[in-house]
Amino acid sequence: MADTMTTAPKTLDPAKPFDLDRLLRPRSIAIVGASPDPASIGGGVLANLELFKYAGDLHLVSRSRGEINGRPCVKTIGDLPKGVDVVILIVPQVAIRDSVLACVERDVAGVIVYSSGFAEAGEEGRQQQNELAEICRKAGMAMLGPNCMGYTNYVDGIPLTFEPVDLRGVGERSRVAIVAQSGATAANIRFAMHSREIAVSYVIATGNEAVIAAEDLVGWLIEDKDNAVVAVYVEQIKNPQKFLAVARRARELGKPIVMLHPGSSERGKQAAQSHTGALAGDHALMQAAVRNEAVALVETTDELFDVTAILARYPSPPPGEAGIVTNSGAIRGLCFDFCERVGLPIATLSEEVHAELTTQVPPYVHVDNPFDIGTTGFSNPGIFGTSTASMLKDPNVGIVFLSHAGGSPPMQIKKSDAIIPVAATATKPVILNIVGDDYPLDPTFMKAVRDSGIPFFRSPERAMRAMAVVMNYAAALAATNDRAPEGERIGKLPPSGLVVEYEGKRILTDLGIHIPKGALAKSADEAATIAADVGYPVVMKAQAAELAHKSDAGGVIVNIADEAALRAAHEKMYASIAKHKPGLKLDGVLIEGMARQGLEMVVGAKRDPQWGPVVLVGLGGVWIEALADARLLPADISRERAIAEIHKLKASKLLGAFRGQPARDVEAIADVVVKLGALMRSEPQIVEVDINPLVVYGEGDGALALDALFVVR
């Protein structure tokens, strides 16, 4: 079906922009490889368009047929009129390049390539894909794919996919837009939304993203006023900085982005590469960066479905904690355990709301959160609504969870009659769960719930897991207004490469981070003078930029008690360095006072070429590797947020009074975090910082950086 062209046309213009309006809302479409068989790819696309009664110009290209379903066919792409909005290329992989070139000659605005065998198949396929991308970019021709399933635009009734799709309207309620690299995942998100009677506006499967990537499409979709939320599945974000800019714009517009991004495990990264040819980056860095821009990051497909459903109804959840109402003591008890497990905090009720709830139940009912109304609902079904309204009033509550046993069909309807009017006017999310797995519920009840738009679950645990993500999203939204300012420039930086420790500590001193008293000595006599000033015992450290691991070469000697021991240590150290690193010239030795014991932490920073700078905080010494107990934080994190994140460490108990040790100066740790973050934003040449250990003392006694590693670009 492809025209046999072997050279790119001379009219390519590298300055032409892509027109996503014409790609996604085309008024003219051509199917290259059209077929009358709906079971074939070309026939499937045609069948979908006819089912949706596509009203634009539809052109069919077939070398073997003169007409299909009463529609005339042309033989080649060259026979198409100029300026078709979208051409669907259903041709063998080997013919895609020539077909794309032919589309450029006909001034086509966009192409969709379903064919596989490109970057996901290996290096040769990647090179072929890169060539296609270059042709399209120079021509300003948008390409969706290759290795994709196309899209369905429900708003305009344009299904450009070969999978069978149902004809559905978009209604008047909030709509979900879907972008996924995986065609099957795109379809599954659509199924999940439609099963909940949630309208879907667009379903776009991006495949290998040779030209048009997820961030391009999300940026386009959030500008549609009728889209409430965008659900995203990606295995690689091609342009991280553009994605972060899109996330900021989405936040301005009040449009949540819910994203599932596999690749946290080593095998997960490998799967992403084999599936879409993605060159996976550092997953943890990605998580820190996108969460800082208030992207709702989920870990499972269930969470993707559930969080999207909640935010479609409540796109601007306020920060707060969970208020829970149930009619089961068992559910109440389980909620305590499960909320703690998934990180969903349960609110402490205000005195006013506690008093109000007390009036709604008999005197023998214990009022607390979770609030168990017991059997009160049998005599007073209105309590299902009044208790919800009371919870919503509480300033500590950001989300309300109603988890009930269903009861008889009449009782189910009484529940919905009481709850739905309250939920209809709520600005805080109200989540309804009827326990009982797949046990059928009354059809009238189910219709009322679906028509109301209230997020509905059959599993309390699944609901609470999604609620935890929604509350984290609400907190992230609020935190976007709490950013630390950028730091000042620190003056001349050391030369490119690994920075010797004493120079690194000079940088820390400039930042106001405390280091042990000491100085660089270029001889044994200088070392003795410095040690006398510092006071024994002292530590001696060999100093050279090429000596990254001093201890391995005998370059660290601690607890030097007096001058005689110091001179002996000096001689021993130089001999050891000469043995382990022949020819290495030391800058000298760093003499410092021995620090008193405290809790060893590590604070570091890293500049990722794609995602930018992040700061790390965790348990120090060897424990950070042994326990993997660390948190990656955005470089613009505020002091208050840093304190909260430090308390989320697995070893956070060690920061409080523990086994006779005093509570630690967490504020001092947070100060170091904020200062390093400010440094990374003000000094783009700094690639990496590692303060390990940072010894932390009791509350008010501060922290001391015992070692400092800097890498400068």
Side-chain angles (χ1 to χ4, degrees), residues 32 87 123 173 207 295 339 380 393 455-456 485 497 504 565 623 632 691 698:
V32 181
V87 172
E123 187 54 35
R173 285 212 309 238
V295 172
C339 284
N380 175 24
K393 291 178 186 176
F456 178 72
W623 297 112
L632 276 180
I691 302 174

Side-chain angles (χ1 to χ4, degrees), residues 450-654:
R450 293 299 190 208
D451 289 348
S452 74
I454 186 172
F456 178 72
F457 294 82
R458 297 305 305 271
S459 161
E461 292 83 4
R462 184 165 163 175
M464 286 184 280
R465 205 180 285 277
M467 289 165 60
V469 177
V470 171
M471 286 292 88
N472 285 335
Y473 170 72
L477 276 179
T480 57
N481 296 317
D482 183 17
R483 306 279 176 108
E486 187 174 293
E488 296 181 2
R489 303 297 298 266
I490 60 172
K492 185 178 179 181
L493 286 170
S496 180
L498 188 69
V499 177
V500 66
E501 181 186 354
Y502 70 91
E503 286 282 4
K505 284 184 171 175
R506 176 188 63 77
I507 297 174
L508 295 186
T509 301
D510 290 346
L511 293 176
I513 296 172
H514 297 295
I515 63 172
K517 184 178 180 182
L520 180 71
K522 294 184 178 293
S523 68
D525 289 341
E526 282 189 20
T529 301
I530 294 167
D533 179 58
V534 168
Y536 291 98
V538 296
V539 58
M540 179 185 295
K541 299 181 183 180
Q543 298 295 293
E546 298 85 355
L547 197 62
H549 302 289
K550 295 184 285 288
S551 298
D552 297 345
V556 179
I557 300 177
V558 301
N559 277 319
I560 301 171
D562 53 34
E563 183 175 339
L566 179 125
R567 291 183 180 276
H570 190 274
E571 184 177 347
K572 178 183 177 182
M573 181 174 290
Y574 269 82
S576 180
I577 297 296
K579 177 182 176 182
H580 286 88
K581 299 284 185 180
L584 176 64
K585 181 174 173 56
L586 295 181
D587 294 1
V589 293
L590 182 61
I591 304 296
E592 293 180 327
M594 285 290 296
R596 58 191 174 92
Q597 287 189 336
L599 179 66
E600 291 191 358
M601 301 288 290
V602 58
V603 179
K606 179 179 178 180
R607 185 179 310 282
D608 183 79
Q610 293 184 310
W611 292 104
V614 292
V615 182
L616 175 145
V617 62
L619 205 60
V622 298
W623 297 112
I624 190 168
E625 294 182 18
L627 302 179
D629 187 15
R631 295 190 73 80
L632 276 180
L633 311 175
D636 61 359
I637 193 167
S638 69
R639 190 169 184 268
E640 291 72 21
R641 288 172 61 202
I643 290 170
E645 289 292 332
I646 291 165
H647 280 297
K648 293 178 184 177
L649 288 164
K650 299 172 191 172
S652 62
K653 282 187 178 180
L654 297 177

Side-chain angles (χ1 to χ4, degrees), residues 360-426:
Q360 299 177 20
V361 289
Y364 58 82
V365 174
H366 175 68
V367 175
D368 195 5
N369 185 23
F371 178 41
D372 176 16
I373 65 173
T375 59
T376 308
F378 286 101
S379 58
N380 175 24
I383 193 174
F384 293 105
T386 56
S387 59
T388 304
S390 297
M391 281 288 185
L392 287 167
K393 291 178 186 176
D394 198 307
N396 300 321
V397 171
I399 192 168
V400 175
F401 180 41
L402 312 175
S403 184
H404 296 300
S408 65
M411 196 66 198
Q412 293 171 30
I413 294 170
K414 289 178 181 178
K415 287 184 175 70
S416 60
D417 286 347
I419 292 168
I420 288 173
V422 177
T425 59

